[in-house]
Amino acid sequence: MTDITTTDPTTQSTGEEWRLPPPATGRVVVSDELAAQLVDQARADGVDLVGPGGLLGDLTKRVLEAGLEVEMADHVGYDKHDPEGRNGANSRNGTRSKTVLTEVGPVEIDVPRDRDGTFDPKLVRKRQRRLAGVDEMVISLTAKGLTTGEVQAHLAEVYGTDMSREQVSKITDAILGEMAEWMTRPLERVYPVVFIDAMVVKIRDGQVANRPIYTAIGVTVDGKRDVLGLWAGTGGEGAKFWLQVLTEIKNRGVDDVCIVCCDGLKGLPDSIAVTWPLAVVQTCVLHLIRNTFRLASRADWDRMAKDLRPVYTAVNEEQAQAKLAEFHDAWGDRYPAIKGLWDNAWGEFIPFVDYSVEIRRVIYSTNAIESLNARMRRATRARGHFPNEQAAMKTLYLVTRSLDPKGTGQARWTMRWKPALNAFAVTFADRMPAAENL
């Protein structure tokens, strides 16, 4: 292949690992003409663009080696082949070959050495066998639900790499410290709404069992969704467990929550009352409606939905009770279990009708948290079960970490938030932060 002259690359540090930096905004590192020339030359020589021995691998090798030469020149004080280096205190001492795993596959590079053995490169560190982008790739694949074996097979098939399952696991284990910091990070002082929900995953603890993973999402005064944390349960959680979780959230700086939306979690309402005495516990209205339909024949759903709508769109509690009585008169004899369902949930449903339409739209359902749970289910469905609780929490944290990478979901949520924020500011005037602090 035609020899390629490269400019000296610069490097940047992340404190732990080094990568070639992205080009600065507006700066063209490789012109279109040069790129076209390289592609044409590769085709003429019968060289693939990607894969082992491909153009991208060769370019990566040359750029890495050029960057290492720049570092060596800075270290010994002279450029390669410069006579100034003769008889100096320290001088170059050839190179040593090393294979590193990159985003384009394994690349063999020649790392320069010095006679004193004091050269410590930053672009590709001593004993480093992977560039940082490979670790990010493994973490991204794990967040999408691939097992360690599937990640290993994917890297071998696409990039021709030989990475063991143990190496894949060690890469993802590196985020455990980050996860611990995330679970203890400071939170906002006030959340207008907090949603709490659970999803079930299969975890082997002696034998495979269904275990709940609880998620809490807070809506900030800016209208952004903030995942407060993830907690693994056993399925028999009560007030003691929830008091511990809520106290942990409070100790991270949450002094007040206006409304907590949750569904059927035993002991949670009492623990909320102890932690935030002024918080209102609100059941998910959408879930209540869905559970109503589950107890009825599908043939009756359309008529039942029409009769049920006046209950949750009532202007006050009296009207809601009257409309619910009419609903039971129409359907109670045919479906007596529905009456019991609404009677049991009435105390946590009725706060809903006291709020304005803007607040009702926010707390009508736990969709904000259900969308996260849906992503988590996609990541766990293919795995069957997890070997232990830590493996499950690690995967679910990676899903949370990769949530909405483009930020478009946050933007849509924030645009719809301003009318609700005004309604919260009026309804909870003495508890919401002042406008100048928003």
Side-chain angles (χ1 to χ4, degrees):
M1 182 178 295
T2 304
D3 189 31
I4 302 168
T5 302
T6 59
T7 57
D8 293 339
T10 57
T11 58
Q12 65 180 9
S13 173
T14 61
E16 295 293 334
E17 297 173 301
W18 287 69
R19 297 187 63 189
L20 287 174
T25 303
R27 177 186 169 200
V28 179
V29 177
V30 179
S31 67
D32 292 341
E33 292 78 7
L34 177 57
Q37 178 186 348
L38 292 173
V39 172
D40 290 342
Q41 184 64 49
R43 288 175 175 171
D45 294 345
V47 176
D48 293 332
L49 297 182
V50 296
L55 173 63
L56 288 181
D58 188 60
L59 284 173
T60 302
K61 169 184 171 67
R62 292 170 184 267
V63 171
L64 290 175
E65 289 179 347
L68 291 169
E69 286 294 344
V70 170
E71 290 193 56
M72 176 58 81
D74 290 341
H75 179 67
V76 297
Y78 68 93
D79 292 332
K80 191 175 182 180
H81 306 307
D82 191 335
E84 184 180 331
R86 297 173 182 172
N87 302 319
N90 189 16
S91 61
R92 296 169 180 268
N93 189 28
T95 62
R96 59 182 175 84
S97 295
K98 174 179 180 177
T99 300
V100 293
L101 183 58
T102 73
E103 294 95 322
V104 297
V107 173
E108 184 175 341
I109 60 175
D110 293 326
V111 181
R113 301 187 300 180
D114 64 332
R115 292 192 179 277
D116 290 349
T118 55
F119 179 49
D120 186 16
K122 302 297 186 293
L123 180 59
V124 181
R125 293 184 179 276
K126 291 181 177 179
R127 293 175 292 279
Q128 182 180 351
R129 293 295 178 181
R130 301 184 307 272
L131 297 189
V134 177
D135 289 5
E136 293 170 5
M137 187 189 309
V138 170
I139 288 174
S140 176
L141 292 171
T142 304
K144 290 177 171 58
L146 273 68
T147 65
T148 55
E150 290 169 337
V151 173
Q152 177 193 33
H154 174 81
L155 295 177
E157 179 181 352
V158 177
Y159 301 102
T161 62
D162 184 17
M163 180 181 290
S164 67
R165 296 187 182 190
E166 289 73 18
Q167 288 176 307
V168 173
S169 184
K170 286 181 180 179
I171 291 173
T172 55
D173 282 347
I175 60 94
L176 292 176
E178 175 188 314
M179 182 173 70
E181 292 181 6
W182 176 76
M183 282 292 296
T184 57
R185 74 193 189 282
L187 300 174
E188 300 288 330
R189 187 179 67 82
V190 175
Y191 285 95
V193 185
V194 168
F195 299 94
I196 299 177
D197 200 8
M199 66 168 289
V200 174
V201 299
K202 295 182 181 297
I203 298 176
R204 178 179 293 280
D205 186 10
Q207 62 181 6
V208 177
N210 289 330
R211 295 272 302 277
I213 303 294
Y214 299 102
T215 312
I217 291 184
V219 181
T220 70
V221 293
D222 295 324
K224 294 182 179 179
R225 289 170 289 185
D226 186 9
V227 182
L228 308 184
L230 302 167
W231 295 268
T234 61
E237 286 70 36
K240 182 178 180 181
F241 171 84
W242 284 113
L243 185 60
Q244 178 182 345
V245 169
L246 298 181
T247 300
E248 176 185 320
I249 294 175
K250 185 174 183 179
N251 289 342
R252 290 162 62 190
V254 183
D255 293 333
D256 193 13
V257 175
C258 298
I259 301 174
V260 180
C261 294
C262 56
D263 270 328
L265 299 176
K266 183 180 178 182
L268 180 55
D270 293 337
S271 299
I272 292 172
V274 172
T275 309
W276 299 296
L278 298 179
V280 177
V281 179
Q282 174 65 58
T283 192
C284 172
V285 177
L286 182 59
H287 283 182
L288 184 57
I289 295 171
R290 287 176 180 170
N291 291 336
T292 300
F293 290 155
R294 287 193 183 103
L295 297 173
S297 170
R298 182 179 291 271
D300 293 328
W301 283 7
D302 289 342
R303 288 182 297 146
M304 184 175 287
K306 183 178 179 180
D307 292 343
L308 192 57
R309 180 176 175 81
V311 178
Y312 59 86
T313 58
V315 297
N316 53 43
E317 181 176 355
E318 290 74 21
Q319 185 182 27
Q321 286 179 326
K323 295 300 181 182
L324 182 63
E326 293 177 8
F327 177 82
H328 287 326
D329 289 342
W331 299 99
D333 292 340
R334 188 178 305 179
Y335 302 114
I338 292 179
K339 185 177 187 303
L341 173 69
W342 277 86
D343 289 344
N344 292 333
W346 188 254
E348 294 170 5
F349 160 79
I350 203 59
F352 181 81
V353 300
D354 290 334
Y355 299 123
S356 63
V357 173
E358 289 77 14
I359 294 180
R360 290 188 189 189
R361 287 183 181 137
V362 175
I363 65 176
Y364 173 71
S365 76
T366 55
N367 281 348
I369 203 167
E370 286 184 346
S371 62
L372 172 60
N373 285 345
R375 292 279 294 272
M376 289 179 172
R377 288 188 186 97
R378 284 201 299 269
T380 60
R381 189 177 296 120
R383 299 182 67 101
H385 68 272
F386 293 92
N388 51 54
E389 180 182 304
Q390 184 185 78
M393 294 294 287
K394 181 172 65 174
T395 298
L396 297 181
Y397 168 69
L398 288 175
V399 174
T400 304
R401 188 175 183 257
S402 65
L403 192 65
D404 195 21
K406 294 184 179 179
T408 53
Q410 291 281 18
R412 288 195 300 270
W413 182 276
T414 305
M415 285 189 295
R416 297 195 300 263
W417 174 250
K418 291 303 180 182
L421 175 60
N422 282 272
F424 273 102
V426 172
T427 306
F428 303 97
D430 56 336
R431 297 163 60 189
M432 291 286 288
E436 59 270 15
N437 296 327
L438 295 180

